[in-house]
Every structure is written in C-alpha cells, then in structure tokens.
Amino acid sequence: MDRLSNTVRPYAWGSTTAIPELLGTAPTGEPQAEMWMGAHPGAPSRLTRSPGADAPGSEAGERSLTDVIAADPLRELGAAAVGAFGPRLPFLLKLLAAGAPLSLQVHPDLAQAQQGYADEERRGVPVDAPHRTYKDANHKPELICALTPFDGLCGFRRPTEAADLMAALGVDSLKPYADLLRARPEDGALREVLTAILTADPDEMAHTVAEAAEAAARLGGAHAPYAQIARHYPGDPGVIAAMLLNHVQLQPGEAMFLGAGVPHAYLGGLGVEIMANSDNVLRCGLTPKHIDVPELLSIVRFEPTEPGILRPEAAPNGEELYETPVDEFRLSRYVLPAGGTPVDLTAATPQILLCTAGAPTAADLSLAPGESVFVPADETVEVAGTGTLFRATVMV
C-alpha cells in the first residue's frame, strides 16, 4: 500500500480556498480546481515504494502510478480488473473545488466515443488540436459527491418549465424560445431551442444575455443562478442554454450521477468526483473553447429528466455505497466513529482511499484530510480510527 502524491490542477474556475482549507495549507491566491488521484497520463499520482517490495518494477524511489501499474498490471490491478478493462486503472478520482461555473458539457457513450475517435484519427486531426473533439475512445460517466453545499445543472427540465423561467424575465428576444418550448413535442422543442441558442448571431445573443442577466439579478430566487453564471461568462450563449436544465443543490454526503448524453455543469462547491478515465468532453457553452455544434447535437439526449439526487446505501460493515450503472468505478464512504471496530477493506481489485475528515489509519499509514493511498489488488488493509474515508475501486 502506498501513500500518494497528487497534482492540483489550477484551472481558472477553481476555488482559491476550498482545497487549501481541506488540506490545512495556506492559500496561494491562485485557483486550485482539482486534485487528481489515479493513473491518468495527464497528471498521474506518484508514490514511493518501500524497500524490499518483491514485485518487478517496485524498487524504492518515487515513481508515477502509471509506471508502477505498467510494470506489473496483474499484481497491482488483479486478474479480474485486467480482464475487464485491460492493464490500466479505469477510473480517476478527484477533489473538485468550483469557485466559478464550469463549462456546460456532455459526454458520449462508449460506442459514440469509439466511432468519433476513429473518425478523427482517420482524418488526421491532431489529438492536441483545439478543434479536436474526441481525445480517446472511451466514455466518461461521472459521479460527484458533495463535501460542502454544491450547486450544479443536470439534465433537461420540462420544456414548459423552461419556457416559464424565460418568460418571467420579460426579455423580448427570449419570447421566441419560450413559444417554441410550449408549442412542440418535448424532444423536438429542446433540440430546436438549443440549436437556435448555439447558432444565434453572437452580437444579438450577447445583448440577450445582458438583458436576461439584469432581469435575473432583479428577480432573484429561481433566477439568481443565471445572474451568477452571467457574471462569470458575460454574453455567453451558455447562460441561456443553462435555463433549459434542472438546477440541483446537493447537501454534504449527497451525490449526482452524470451519464452519457446528459448536459450538465458544476456551478460551485467542493466535492469528491470519480469518472471513467477519459478526456471526451463536448461543450455547449460557458467556455472560450471549441464548440462542435453538429457533433454536440448528435450526442445530447433531448429528453426531460429528473436529476436524481443519490444518497448512499449503508451496509452492515459501515460501507455507504453510491450506486451507479457503470463498471469502471465504484465509490463508497466510511464514516469511522471514535472507538469503532477496525474495518477490513481487503479486495481483489485496486483501490484508492481518500481521507476527507479526521485522522483515520489505513494499515500502518495515518491519513490527514486530503491525503490518499493506493491499495493494490489483494493487499491486506484495515482502516481504523476516527474520520471519513472515500473508497474508489471497480465493479467486476
């Protein structure tokens, strides 16, 4: 078992205080958006193997988790995980701290990702090109679990509800969208209005966004989030597109699953996020990055949905599991009480354990908030002490 050294990504939307407060470190004044735990090639965790480890490639010294797994995938991941996902860790665990809204986005399913990636490879689009849509051939389902009150957008609301929200603003240029949302079948209405928003004249849309933001700030209540979004993204069509989506407010311990084709955005808060290891993101707005409107429209599922707030299911051993319909990751939580019995977490699959509160121990390692460990498959591990641990592994 290895303590992990993890990279914090300084994306512009990140909070300047949330991750430092959890880690007990001084803020730098710069945004700290995400702390990555895993073997993603963009920022793999690093670890130091103890002297005497007997597996190939596990000699003492700091190495990336990617290299450690590549040296002996069967030992690190276990036969079942390698058989299901290949010789790689199929998930990425994060601390995510949103100080400003993230881009409005959607992810492809596995077949769409494979087809899109193969097409761009055939056409010779460089993988690092700004207009490249598919960075890999994998899907990217996600789960976010709130550590603080957490705001987001998830899935389409009923078109008539979106129409009422827009109409209440009293902005003349929004009236055609509201009329379309009321007059057509739900899937057609959502598709037509999102298309119209994303293809509108930029100057006219900027004027609409400015008027809508002013009205939203004046009305407050259910309109307040859109004024906030517009402050960060003035003139962006994503401000209007966001009105088509459900506004979700998670309390600590609650979670939200984001499947393929579901438009979503995180607006603010600190959470633990886990996802399939992929970089495939199609953006709808709230970003200066490339928006591929035709491809986006082929991926989005134009159907109203309830956002479905997840609460963990408790097991007798104290594990609280967040149920999701994917195999690449499995996230659960342990809230360890003072004087409680140690809990055996030994498993035939790879695990990352993340402490978010207290000072629990995993085997002989004491963990502080924000610290994490990688546990190879079949490695004996007991957790004890007082605190909160998140456990990330796979379903096989």
Side-chain angles (χ1 to χ4, degrees):
M1 186 172 63
D2 306 278
R3 191 186 300 273
L4 296 177
S5 174
N6 304 305
T7 298
V8 175
R9 311 304 296 262
Y11 304 135
W13 48 261
S15 168
T16 59
T17 58
I19 289 179
E21 285 177 1
L22 182 70
L23 300 178
T25 59
T28 64
E30 299 298 319
Q32 298 188 35
E34 296 179 347
M35 187 175 79
W36 287 19
M37 292 157 279
H40 189 287
S45 299
R46 302 190 67 82
L47 53 86
T48 302
R49 277 287 161 95
S50 302
D54 57 3
S58 60
E59 64 274 7
E62 190 178 63
R63 306 183 65 192
S64 76
L65 182 55
T66 304
D67 290 343
V68 168
I69 290 171
D72 195 347
L74 282 176
R75 177 181 184 272
E76 304 297 338
L77 306 177
V82 171
F85 310 110
R88 62 185 185 90
L89 191 67
F91 65 82
L92 177 64
L93 185 67
K94 299 179 181 180
L95 280 173
L96 184 146
L102 281 66
S103 63
L104 190 60
Q105 58 188 254
V106 69
H107 306 302
D109 64 27
L110 186 57
Q112 291 165 337
Q114 291 171 340
Q115 180 178 348
Y117 179 77
D119 176 64
E120 289 189 309
E121 287 290 282
R122 280 193 301 269
R123 292 190 283 117
V125 182
V127 73
D128 59 351
H131 62 286
R132 174 89 183 213
T133 299
Y134 294 94
K135 309 296 187 183
D136 52 68
N138 200 18
H139 63 164
K140 195 173 181 279
E142 301 173 348
L143 177 75
I144 184 77
C145 178
L147 296 178
T148 67
F150 195 98
D151 277 15
L153 304 170
C154 179
F156 288 110
R157 62 173 89 219
R158 292 285 176 190
T160 53
E161 294 175 5
D164 291 344
L165 187 75
M166 290 182 181
L169 293 171
V171 175
D172 288 344
S173 52
L174 290 180
K175 187 176 184 302
Y177 300 147
D179 290 344
L180 283 171
L181 289 167
R182 292 194 177 103
R184 298 177 182 271
E186 288 187 333
D187 58 345
L190 292 168
R191 177 182 291 275
E192 187 162 350
V193 171
L194 182 61
T195 303
I197 291 169
L198 297 181
T199 57
D201 177 86
D203 292 336
E204 293 178 3
M205 178 53 68
H207 182 69
T208 296
V209 171
E211 287 192 320
E214 183 180 348
R218 183 175 64 253
L219 290 173
H223 292 88
Y226 310 101
Q228 174 202 3
I229 294 170
R231 283 197 297 273
H232 292 283
Y233 298 97
D236 194 299
V239 176
I240 307 303
M243 297 180 188
L244 301 175
L245 307 186
N246 296 296
H247 179 222
V248 183
Q249 295 178 297
L250 301 177
Q251 296 305 309
E254 295 179 336
M256 180 168 61
F257 176 71
L258 304 160
V262 177
H264 61 275
Y266 300 149
L267 302 182
L270 176 66
V272 174
E273 185 184 41
I274 190 167
M275 63 185 63
N277 224 345
S278 171
D279 291 322
N280 285 327
V281 176
L282 288 91
R283 294 173 176 85
C284 316
L286 311 183
T287 177
K289 295 182 179 180
H290 174 64
I291 297 177
D292 184 343
V293 174
E295 187 65 18
L296 171 71
L297 297 176
S298 74
I299 296 300
V300 171
R301 294 182 179 176
F302 288 98
E303 54 189 28
T305 59
E306 293 295 328
I309 293 175
L310 296 177
R311 297 174 179 85
E313 296 290 332
N317 69 346
E319 183 179 39
E320 298 176 335
L321 175 64
Y322 294 92
E323 291 275 7
T324 63
V326 298
D327 296 331
E328 283 88 347
F329 60 77
R330 179 184 188 275
L331 185 71
S332 59
R333 182 182 68 171
Y334 289 83
V335 180
L336 304 170
T341 304
V343 181
D344 184 2
L345 298 188
T346 306
T349 53
Q351 303 178 72
I352 292 177
L353 306 179
L354 166 66
C355 173
T356 58
T361 60
D364 59 347
L365 295 179
S366 178
L367 299 177
E371 292 187 331
S372 57
V373 295
F374 173 71
V375 185
D378 296 314
E379 187 85 5
T380 300
V381 57
E382 273 191 348
V383 296
T386 305
T388 301
L389 277 177
F390 281 84
R391 180 194 199 190
T393 185
V394 299
M395 292 286 291
V396 290

